Amino acid sequence: MSTLVITELMDIEGIDGIDTYVKNKGYEGLKKALKEYTPDELIEYVKASGLRGRGGAGFPTGLKWSFVPKNPGKPKYLCVNCDESEPGTCKDRDMVTYLPHQLLEGIAICCYAVGINQAFIYIRGEMLEGYEILEKAVEEAVQRNFLGDNILGTDFSLDVVVHRGAGAYICGEESALLSSLEGERGFPRLKPPFPAVEGLYACPTVINNVETLSTLPAIMRKGAEWYSSLGTERSKGTRVLCLSGHVNKPGNYELELGASMRHLIEECGGGVMGGELKAIIPGGASAPMLTKEHLDVALDFEAIAAAGSMAGSGAVIVINDKTCIVKTCLNLDQFFEEESCGKCTPCREGTKWLVDILTRMVNGHGRPEDIDLLKSVCNNILGNTFCPLGDSATSCIMSAFKYFPEEFEHYAHHGCSILEGKKEMAKS
Amino acid sequence: MADDLVNITIDGHQMAVPKGTLLVEAARQIGIEIPVYCYHPKMKPVGACRVCLVEVENQRRPMMPACTTTVMPDMVVHTRSDNAVEARGAVLEFLLINHPLDCPVCDRAGECDLQDFTQKYGNGNTRFIEQKRHFAKSKQVGKNVVLDRERCIMCQRCVRFCEEIAMEEGLVIVDRGNRSEIGTFEGRSFDSKFSGNVIELCPVGALTAKTYRFESRPWEQQHYAGICNVSSLGVNITVDVRYDEVVRLRGRMNDEIDDGWLSDKCRYSHLAIHSDDRILSPMVRNDQGQLTKVSWAAALERIVQAFPENASQIGLAVGTRLSVEDGHMLLRLGRGLLKTPNVVHEHEAESLGTNTTLTGRVKGCDAADVILCLGSDPAKSHHDFELRIKKGLRNKARLICIGEQPALVGYADYQVIGVASELWSKLKKELKKETTEEESGLRFPKPRPWEAGGETSQDWDALVKEIRGAENVLVVVSGDIAGQGLQDVARDVEDLGWNTAPHGVIHLRSGVNPVGHESIGLIPEWDEDGNQALAKAWEGMNTDSGLSYAEMCRGKTEMLLAFGCNPLAQPESKKPKFLVQAATHPDETTEKADVVLPLSMWVEYNGVYISTDGTVQFNRQAILPLGEAQPAWSIARELCLRLGASDLPENPRAVYSEVGSLHAALAGATYKDFQTPGQYHWSYPQQADLGMPRPDLSAIPVKEPDMPMWMPAPLTGSTVEGAGRLHRGQTPPPVPGQRDPREIAKLLGLNHPMDRTAPPALTAGGAEKKDGYIPLRVVPSTSAEPAGPTPAGRHHEIGVGPRRRVAVPVAQTALLEASDAADNTTEDGGEE
Ligand SMILES: Cc1cc2nc3c(=O)[nH]c(=O)nc-3n(C[C@H](O)[C@H](O)[C@H](O)COP(=O)(O)O)c2cc1C
Ligand code: SF4
Ligand code: SF4
Ligand code: FES
């Protein structure tokens, strides 16, 4: 059994209430941070822990904080990214519903380190329950002076506002999140300037994922050294993996980084359901697929990248051999087509085109030339878009072409899935 | 200096450009075209369309948008590498898959960036067999703006114009992703004062003008550089003419004045030219009191007979829409020949006299710290200036509105309601006190009123502090400032030390050309010392002070000649015994006038206009005078002839040279000031101060030819293929890697339409056109010409349905050619 860092307290009855949380060493981390560290020391401390962002890109958290100017002459902000919309990802939701105070404590630690007095939690609009729990938790924390003015008798004050999104995946992208929070259209913004310098309302802004911040209290309590002893050389600590798809026991599992995919699927998930393993998407819908060959790949940032995919949001989707890969691609790309913000041409037009072609193929009207066309359209999107969403739309198709080219060929030549066997083409 | 330069390599060319330069601009400097859609030099880059992708070496993502990427030291950029060509082709393909095949019926065809770039960089075939996206066709989004959502390429230029430049609610993007469409907020109509600009900005035919839809194609048009005849700002325009009809007006980038934008008031002012009620022939009131058409000779005769014995009983009122030349010839008629002292322009009451120096300029808004609207409301009176103020606000200026509640108040940082002159004296006094140190330092950022959450402050002390901390102050006054008790504002501003151009006082004048008319003396007081050359040339001229315009309107003279103005619309006006009006459209004065003369509008003749901040500009004739209309200078000349004068200048060019030789204010001025060979831009900023416009001929900047706004620079857009954008005789610039279309034509054994080494020979007058002159149409006049429809005749055959305009006899077309040819030669004594 792996060490639990983030979900350690999750099973305790009533842990979403402040009393239970405080009884279980809650807000100890914050007290320690306020008492024993100056903000600069705290940033160094988090750097030393080796914590990396859990929102997708895996950027070192301490380093990100250190980019924020010390005395910019204007306010600084923290935006907590709780827009969790990546298909397959469901960890932030649990962290917010079960351990809201752990998140708030993490927020307070971060804000103290960076010198922020105003934090926003941007929560996905559909997570109404989480929103209500957070609102209540903020109220409780203010009453107990863990938030609010002069926290615990220091001169550090912090106000936390919970803001609900309106249902757009792109608003999880950090700059689009800022636009949305400011009341503008959810379009990603040009970088540079980077949010650390010019973010929300053109002021220095830190944007962190819920899981990233929820890890901080434990790091404070148990020490950076302890945390960095977990995990691998470059991917420290643990992370919550969201296992879904054709497994017997889907769910959120906290594992030390470096645990293998086999461990997750077979030990934790109870093995593949309804057939043999065919493909694994290791990091949310944006990540390229891997196959059963990759079962022994470790689930850390570097190992997955080396295998040709990405750790992304930590959503592991298991696909069994009764599943048509072309239809899987269609399903995934329908998501990206729906969620494309429409700002840039390749993504706006390209995702629609991909969906159109795949739909036509799945409906039995594929043509041999569609194979090259699909590849070429993917190529034309890849690397040409404004933000990474467009690129993401191509990763499933590109990887499917790599591992399962025959499935596309079959649709193109026979008008049906390879799983349905060779049928005569319906067309005359 | 060298620190600010960055060395980069574009397509193998090494160059050093200032830090912060965008790649598109750097490439343009050395003549390399990078296509753009969403980029526009006057708006913030967004990097949305991706057509400008270029390859940059040693980057994590090598394909970078040239419109958002600034130069970095030792950057190596490829605009024509395989990757760059592929990416550009890809973006064009993406834009086209859902684009309708509308070109044959689209207004934009021929000047469309999507057409042009596709021709140059597109793939040439389609791989798209799915259903195209469909929207209901034309949708009227505003009074005059029609949207075709299928044609839209989502470059957001229109949306950004509304948000960034006009700073108001207008067009927005509705829905997202592939379903995005341009629209308005529910239940709102897009009726901005500046709505027409989005039509011009749209790189494709998605936004069109109701007045222009299906009216004309770019390749049938000729483009003329004009000056707006609606306000005194001197906004530069392009007049687009199809045969003999002005079909639209567009902006013409002049950074000193308009930044290329045009308010709707100006943009649609051409509709009056061909309107049904134009006065097109001379008329005399008969015994029954009815106006009846007569010949020019009869009408003029009637006027000459009516001149009273006592010259001071004659008044000449001059409208400010008339040119400097018009004013000069009327002055000659009035003071010179009729010997009456009463020659004034209609807004002479606003004049501050020629001794006052005003240093404020339109472009002064850009770097101003404080813009102070003192009893003025540009949002109501000078729309184009409102846009410039907003530009200042975006830069750094604070807007302070003092006076009655003005419309711009939504943008004001401070507002004080009251009597402007009283508040000004109070302010003046407080400003003269010593400045304390804390006041002149840093200004804290606070939300601006026009940004969400900001509020207009009414705090007087804060306002005073704000002004004290400011270095550049632009004081905006308008109209009759003496009437507002602000006649001393110029001196006060001088006392306060704000009078360094382009800041200081800017006086927004009513009408169009009052400054021009004042500079040649169309005011009641006559400046004898300043006009000695004139007195010598016009022996016996009247140099007394005369009546004001208001007095003339009240019938103080027995006879009144009103040129391009409407005296009877003035309060307490009274018809004089004999009333003559030269007018373009009927009004109150026409109803009572004894003789009505048809007057040409500004596009019908060459003329010089001086803007409110003293910019001297040339307006090029674009069409023939309609019907029997004549410009005022020519009518005045005819009357002078009948009064026995001889040796009168024969065309505007000669009149203007006479202005230059006789008026101190414009000493030395000729049409040559406005001409640089090969260029079509005739504007130069005035060197001396307002009231004494005096061109410094050595400092005439060479401006680009009339540049359509959707083409940010000559090298972008369809400069090569779009015949509609080339002037006759102009050679398209070479584009690297682009085959010369004429070469292709030659290979195919065809005659390329642009392969004309010499401009077509003109028939009438025999003289060739000079470089820099856009020749008027060529009239086939000899039998050697193929028998075909003449331009005037063709009009009716090609046009759809009955047209509004009056057919112009061919003979007159030829005549104009002749006079125009003479125009060229008189002054220069031949061709260079
Ligand atoms: C299209 C797109 C969607 C994203 N969605 C999310 C999201 O739902 N939640 C999240 O935490 N990060 C998301 N991200 C990543 C964020 O941009 C950002 O990297 C992250 O919030 C940084 O936090 P971290 O440093 O704690 O990982 C998304 C990125 C992209 C490009
Ligand atoms: S790739 Fe472009 S269209 Fe797609 S979500 Fe990002 S910015 Fe929007
Ligand atoms: S309507 Fe025209 S200007 Fe507006 S986004 Fe579409 S293409 Fe661009
Ligand atoms: S992205 Fe550069 S011009 Fe549109």
Side-chain angles (χ1 to χ4, degrees):
Chain A
M1 197 64 205
S2 164
T3 327
L4 294 183
V5 178
I6 311 156
T7 56
E8 190 189 350
L9 308 174
M10 200 174 258
D11 292 334
I12 299 170
E13 182 79 21
I15 192 73
D16 59 337
I18 193 154
D19 296 324
T20 319
Y21 183 66
V22 169
K23 250 180 250 156
N24 289 282
K25 298 207 193 109
Y27 289 107
E28 297 275 307
L30 173 64
K31 284 180 195 156
K32 186 172 164 202
L34 290 176
K35 224 180 278 163
E36 295 174 22
Y37 296 92
T38 65
D40 285 348
E41 284 165 5
L42 198 54
I43 292 182
E44 287 309 313
Y45 190 80
V46 173
K47 269 190 197 166
S49 76
L51 177 64
R52 289 169 65 174
R54 302 291 190 245
F59 196 84
T61 306
L63 190 62
K64 188 187 256 185
W65 295 357
S66 68
F67 292 151
V68 178
K70 293 278 171 272
N71 296 304
K74 32 185 180 177
K76 299 183 232 181
Y77 299 110
L78 168 70
C79 293
V80 184
N81 193 340
C82 186
D83 192 47
E84 191 171 64
S85 320
E86 179 88 21
T89 318
C90 50
K91 61 191 175 66
D92 296 347
R93 187 181 61 183
D94 279 4
M95 265 170 263
V96 165
T97 33
Y98 295 114
L99 287 162
H101 284 288
Q102 181 172 293
L103 174 62
L104 294 181
E105 186 180 354
I107 290 173
I109 295 170
C110 166
C111 291
Y112 173 65
V114 189
I116 293 168
N117 302 318
Q118 177 71 61
F120 295 91
I121 303 176
Y122 187 95
I123 185 166
R124 178 175 167 174
E126 288 89 337
M127 296 186 195
L128 182 59
E129 194 191 358
Y131 168 73
E132 283 167 352
I133 290 172
L134 273 177
E135 285 274 85
K136 182 169 145 269
V138 170
E139 212 171 283
E140 287 175 341
V142 172
Q143 271 168 13
R144 294 286 202 88
N145 198 220
F146 292 122
L147 294 179
D149 292 339
N150 296 35
I151 294 173
L152 303 175
T154 62
D155 53 8
F156 167 60
S157 304
L158 174 64
D159 180 35
V160 177
V161 169
V162 191
H163 177 92
R164 291 175 69 198
Y169 169 58
I170 189 62
C171 291
E173 198 282 331
E174 52 187 15
S175 63
L177 184 150
L178 297 179
S179 304
S180 167
L181 202 52
E182 284 179 22
E184 286 177 17
R185 202 181 153 77
F187 269 168
R189 298 177 177 177
L190 273 180
K191 289 179 230 170
F194 289 95
V197 184
E198 223 175 87
L200 193 66
Y201 303 113
C203 297
T205 304
V206 173
I207 298 151
N208 272 134
N209 173 255
V210 168
E211 186 184 343
T212 316
L213 294 167
S214 294
T215 316
L216 291 170
I219 295 181
M220 287 315 300
R221 280 200 312 269
K222 300 190 182 171
E225 227 168 86
W226 165 80
Y227 187 77
S228 66
S229 69
L230 304 171
T232 69
E233 171 72 31
R234 289 176 59 203
S235 302
K236 306 285 188 202
T238 63
R239 84 176 296 181
V240 178
L241 295 154
C242 319
L243 184 63
S244 66
H246 297 127
V247 283
N248 288 315
K249 286 197 287 170
N252 286 331
Y253 297 93
E254 181 176 358
L255 294 183
E256 225 175 282
L257 279 156
S260 72
M261 216 133 23
R262 186 186 298 280
H263 175 78
L264 177 70
I265 296 172
E266 287 173 4
E267 308 284 314
C268 306
V272 178
M273 184 178 78
E276 296 284 298
L277 180 65
K278 182 172 185 175
I280 311 165
I281 302 177
S286 306
M289 304 180 191
L290 297 175
T291 64
K292 59 179 179 223
E293 323 277 276
H294 301 94
L295 257 183
D296 289 313
V297 170
L299 281 162
D300 62 76
F301 294 105
E302 287 72 31
I304 298 185
S309 185
M310 62 178 205
S313 65
V316 178
I317 303 168
V318 177
I319 295 167
N320 73 11
D321 62 352
K322 303 275 178 348
T323 315
C324 168
I325 286 295
V326 181
K327 283 185 186 154
T328 307
C329 287
L330 173 60
N331 181 298
L332 287 169
D333 269 339
Q334 274 169 339
F335 171 79
F336 289 109
E337 188 240 345
E338 168 68 32
E339 293 295 339
S340 163
C341 80
K343 176 169 182 166
C344 72
T345 312
C347 169
R348 179 183 68 238
E349 305 291 338
T351 49
K352 172 79 167 24
W353 198 359
L354 288 177
V355 168
D356 281 355
I357 298 171
L358 287 170
T359 310
R360 186 162 48 74
M361 289 176 87
V362 166
N363 287 342
H365 300 289
R367 309 167 303 166
E369 59 263 44
D370 286 336
I371 308 278
D372 282 342
L373 183 59
L374 274 175
K375 282 187 199 160
S376 156
V377 173
C378 284
N379 241 327
N380 285 347
I381 299 175
L382 200 64
N384 293 343
T385 54
F386 186 91
C387 84
L389 188 148
D391 292 350
S392 304
T394 66
S395 40
C396 57
I397 300 189
M398 295 299 259
S399 56
F401 267 123
K402 191 158 140 201
Y403 300 118
F404 311 101
E406 67 286 351
E407 302 215 3
F408 289 90
E409 299 281 347
H410 202 275
Y411 264 116
H413 291 284
H414 304 284
C416 65
S417 167
I418 203 162
L419 304 175
E420 296 171 32
K422 292 194 174 137
K423 263 199 301 204
E424 274 312 299
M425 277 178 83
K427 282 185 290 182
S428 58
Chain B
M1 164 78 196
D3 279 356
D4 299 334
L5 290 181
V6 174
N7 286 314
I8 57 164
T9 310
I10 304 182
D11 287 350
H13 302 277
Q14 288 187 349
M15 64 186 300
V17 287
K19 244 188 210 158
T21 310
L22 292 171
L23 280 184
V24 246
E25 299 293 350
R28 179 170 297 147
Q29 281 175 23
I30 50 170
I32 292 174
E33 179 191 69
I34 297 174
V36 295
Y37 288 126
C38 63
Y39 175 68
H40 187 279
K42 299 284 177 205
M43 300 196 278
K44 270 189 238 146
V46 285
C49 74
R50 317 304 281 180
V51 79
C52 67
L53 288 171
V54 292
E55 190 175 1
V56 182
E57 284 184 12
N58 300 325
Q59 290 289 327
R60 204 166 52 85
R61 276 170 83 97
M63 301 313 301
M64 298 184 79
C67 72
T68 61
T69 311
T70 48
V71 292
M72 243 100 74
D74 303 319
M75 209 176 207
V76 181
V77 183
H78 301 282
T79 74
R80 278 155 221 282
S81 65
D82 288 349
N83 285 339
V85 169
E86 199 188 319
R88 199 174 293 151
V91 171
L92 284 167
E93 182 179 36
F94 283 136
L95 287 174
L96 284 171
I97 56 176
N98 280 307
H99 196 85
L101 267 176
D102 271 1
C103 302
V105 294
C106 176
D107 276 355
R108 199 47 130 209
E111 53 181 21
C112 168
D113 284 347
L114 190 58
Q115 265 188 347
D116 296 342
F117 292 147
T118 304
Q119 267 188 30
K120 277 195 214 170
Y121 310 109
N123 295 337
N125 56 356
T126 178
R127 304 187 289 172
F128 186 77
I129 61 164
E130 329 298 333
Q131 269 286 331
K132 277 187 193 264
R133 174 180 55 229
H134 284 298
F135 286 113
K137 272 289 176 190
S138 61
K139 169 180 172 186
Q140 188 145 357
V141 286
K143 265 191 258 143
N144 194 27
V145 185
V146 181
L147 168 72
D148 184 322
R149 287 163 290 176
E150 292 183 340
R151 294 180 192 158
C152 170
I153 58 169
M154 276 295 147
C155 67
Q156 299 181 47
R157 276 191 192 179
C158 53
V159 175
R160 284 149 62 213
F161 173 83
C162 298
E163 247 177 52
E164 257 179 74
I165 308 295
M167 291 164 67
E168 46 186 37
E169 245 169 42
L171 295 178
V172 292
I173 305 175
V174 180
D175 217 322
R176 72 170 178 221
N178 206 261
R179 304 167 303 282
S180 304
E181 51 178 286
I182 298 298
T184 52
F185 284 111
E186 226 167 288
R188 305 262 177 96
S189 169
F190 174 48
D191 292 329
S192 155
K193 282 180 277 187
F194 314 105
S195 67
N197 287 304
V198 301
I199 298 165
E200 220 174 297
L201 277 171
C202 183
V204 293
L207 289 165
T208 48
K210 217 171 133 202
T211 52
Y212 180 74
R213 270 168 80 77
F214 310 122
E215 281 285 312
S216 167
R217 327 265 10 205
W219 55 84
E220 338 170 277
Q221 294 170 5
Q222 283 175 316
H223 314 294
Y224 299 90
I227 303 298
C228 161
N229 203 251
V230 171
S231 81
S232 57
L233 288 167
V235 171
N236 289 206
I237 55 173
T238 306
V239 181
D240 288 349
V241 175
R242 176 184 187 264
Y243 304 112
D244 251 332
E245 187 175 4
V246 178
V247 285
R248 64 174 172 183
L249 303 182
R250 287 181 291 143
R252 183 158 57 95
M253 199 88 81
N254 183 345
D255 288 346
E256 307 277 324
I257 297 176
D258 50 44
D259 263 342
W261 313 125
L262 206 60
S263 67
D264 284 4
K265 216 165 144 188
C266 171
R267 183 178 301 274
Y268 302 120
S269 61
H270 70 289
L271 296 175
I273 300 170
H274 303 282
S275 71
D276 289 333
D277 59 348
R278 261 299 286 271
I279 297 170
L280 291 172
S281 50
M283 290 176 283
V284 168
R285 201 167 292 278
N286 63 14
D287 301 340
Q288 283 84 49
Q290 311 256 273
L291 283 174
T292 43
K293 283 187 192 171
V294 294
S295 71
W296 264 107
L300 293 174
E301 200 50 45
R302 180 92 182 77
I303 296 169
V304 172
Q305 276 167 10
F307 284 134
E309 278 294 299
N310 181 356
S312 60
Q313 281 304 320
I314 307 176
L316 250 75
V318 184
T320 55
R321 306 185 93 184
L322 304 186
S323 69
V324 170
E325 294 85 334
D326 291 334
H328 176 75
M329 286 307 281
L330 287 165
L331 187 72
R332 172 129 198 207
L333 172 67
R335 284 196 185 257
L337 287 154
L338 291 169
K339 309 210 191 309
T340 166
N342 310 323
V343 190
V344 295
H345 74 81
E346 58 179 327
H347 295 301
E348 100 342 266
E350 295 177 4
S351 165
L352 292 176
T354 38
N355 303 332
T356 317
T357 307
L358 302 181
T359 50
R361 299 278 178 273
V362 173
K363 68 164 178 201
C365 293
D366 299 6
D369 296 312
V370 163
I371 299 173
L372 181 66
C373 286
L374 191 56
S376 61
D377 189 0
K380 283 198 195 116
S381 59
H382 292 75
H383 293 181
D384 294 276
F385 193 62
E386 179 184 339
L387 283 188
R388 200 68 181 209
I389 290 184
K390 286 176 176 170
K391 184 179 182 187
L393 296 187
R394 290 192 300 276
N395 288 352
K396 61 174 175 177
R398 306 273 141 170
L399 179 63
I400 299 177
C401 291
I402 291 182
E404 291 157 43
Q405 183 142 4
L408 256 180
V409 125
Y411 300 90
D413 293 83
Y414 301 91
Q415 176 203 12
V416 189
I417 301 174
V419 179
S421 54
E422 286 168 15
L423 290 166
W424 174 242
S425 351
K426 182 175 164 203
L427 182 65
K428 222 162 46 187
K429 261 183 235 134
E430 284 179 41
L431 288 175
K432 284 203 185 124
K433 289 186 212 145
E434 286 289 295
T435 314
T436 58
E437 232 170 67
E438 44 118 2
E439 281 166 359
S440 57
L442 180 105
R443 294 192 297 156
F444 291 98
K446 62 164 191 165
R448 310 293 299 274
W450 35 275
E451 287 164 356
E455 263 176 35
T456 302
S457 158
Q458 312 222 355
D459 179 348
W460 178 264
D461 295 334
L463 177 158
V464 175
K465 254 189 216 169
E466 191 75 58
I467 301 182
R468 283 193 179 185
E471 210 171 293
N472 303 324
V473 181
L474 187 69
V475 180
V476 185
V477 291
S478 73
D480 177 11
I481 56 178
Q484 301 166 37
L486 290 167
Q487 60 277 17
D488 294 333
V489 72
R491 220 187 40 229
D492 297 339
V493 163
E494 209 175 317
D495 285 352
L496 289 163
W498 296 341
N499 58 330
T500 34
H503 304 107
V505 179
I506 181 164
H507 184 190
L508 300 177
R509 301 294 305 269
S510 314
V512 177
N513 192 20
V515 181
H517 290 328
E518 268 148 38
S519 65
I520 56 169
L522 296 189
I523 43 175
E525 307 78 40
W526 185 253
D527 173 14
E528 238 172 286
D529 299 339
N531 284 303
Q532 282 168 1
L534 203 69
K536 217 162 117 199
W538 298 348
E539 223 178 295
M541 73 176 285
N542 190 324
T543 55
D544 300 337
S545 286
L547 296 174
S548 70
Y549 179 67
E551 285 169 326
M552 286 189 198
C553 296
R554 273 182 251 128
K556 285 276 166 74
T557 54
E558 259 176 50
M559 179 172 179
L560 178 63
L561 293 93
F563 282 83
C565 56
N566 184 8
L568 293 196
Q570 295 299 312
E572 297 173 45
S573 63
K574 187 167 153 274
K575 181 188 175 291
K577 217 168 106 197
F578 197 83
L579 179 62
V580 178
Q581 190 198 24
T584 56
H585 297 81
D587 53 26
E588 287 88 342
T589 308
T590 324
E591 271 170 32
K592 302 236 173 88
D594 298 292
V595 178
V596 175
L597 304 173
L599 192 65
S600 290
M601 290 185 74
W602 89 110
V603 288
E604 295 166 24
Y605 62 104
N606 289 339
V608 172
Y609 298 81
I610 303 180
S611 79
T612 201
D613 70 355
T615 311
V616 185
Q617 303 187 96
F618 179 75
N619 174 71
R620 176 72 167 96
Q621 174 179 19
I623 56 168
L624 298 166
L626 293 193
E628 291 179 61
Q630 288 282 330
W633 70 265
S634 163
I635 300 173
R637 183 177 181 276
E638 289 295 326
L639 285 168
C640 290
L641 283 173
R642 279 166 173 71
L643 292 170
S646 59
D647 215 10
L648 293 167
E650 290 185 353
N651 51 40
R653 173 183 286 263
V655 179
Y656 194 63
S657 299
E658 194 174 290
V659 171
S661 65
L662 296 181
H663 292 278
L666 284 157
T670 71
Y671 274 7
K672 278 200 198 143
D673 304 347
F674 306 108
Q675 277 183 4
T676 315
Q679 300 293 335
Y680 300 90
H681 203 289
W682 289 290
S683 117
Y684 56 89
Q686 181 215 338
Q687 300 298 309
D689 289 317
L690 185 75
M692 297 296 274
R694 188 192 190 86
D696 173 358
L697 301 188
S698 62
I700 302 168
V702 177
K703 287 277 175 69
E704 289 305 333
D706 32 343
M707 220 163 50
M709 210 191 301
W710 57 85
M711 185 175 69
L715 265 167
T716 313
S718 58
T719 32
V720 175
E721 280 85 0
R725 289 192 199 166
L726 281 173
H727 295 288
R728 213 188 288 176
Q730 204 182 336
T731 341
V735 172
Q738 172 75 32
R739 197 126 190 215
D740 187 339
R742 285 162 299 187
E743 209 179 289
I744 302 170
K746 221 174 270 163
L747 282 176
L748 296 171
L750 298 171
N751 214 350
H752 192 274
M754 277 185 298
D755 196 9
R756 248 195 239 123
T757 35
L762 288 171
T763 46
E768 266 199 4
K769 291 293 165 194
K770 211 177 102 145
D771 245 9
Y773 250 99
I774 311 159
L776 278 156
R777 62 218 59 71
V778 186
V779 187
S781 66
T782 61
S783 51
E785 294 281 346
T790 60
R794 199 158 21 150
H795 196 286
H796 290 284
E797 285 172 29
I798 298 175
V800 220
R803 312 291 293 201
R804 294 179 297 248
R805 58 175 294 286
V806 186
V808 180
V810 179
Q812 207 174 335
T813 320
L815 251 177
L816 193 114
E817 285 294 328
S819 91
D820 204 61
D823 227 34
N824 274 329
T825 41
T826 6
E827 190 54 41
D828 307 322
E831 301 297 321
E832 281 103 312

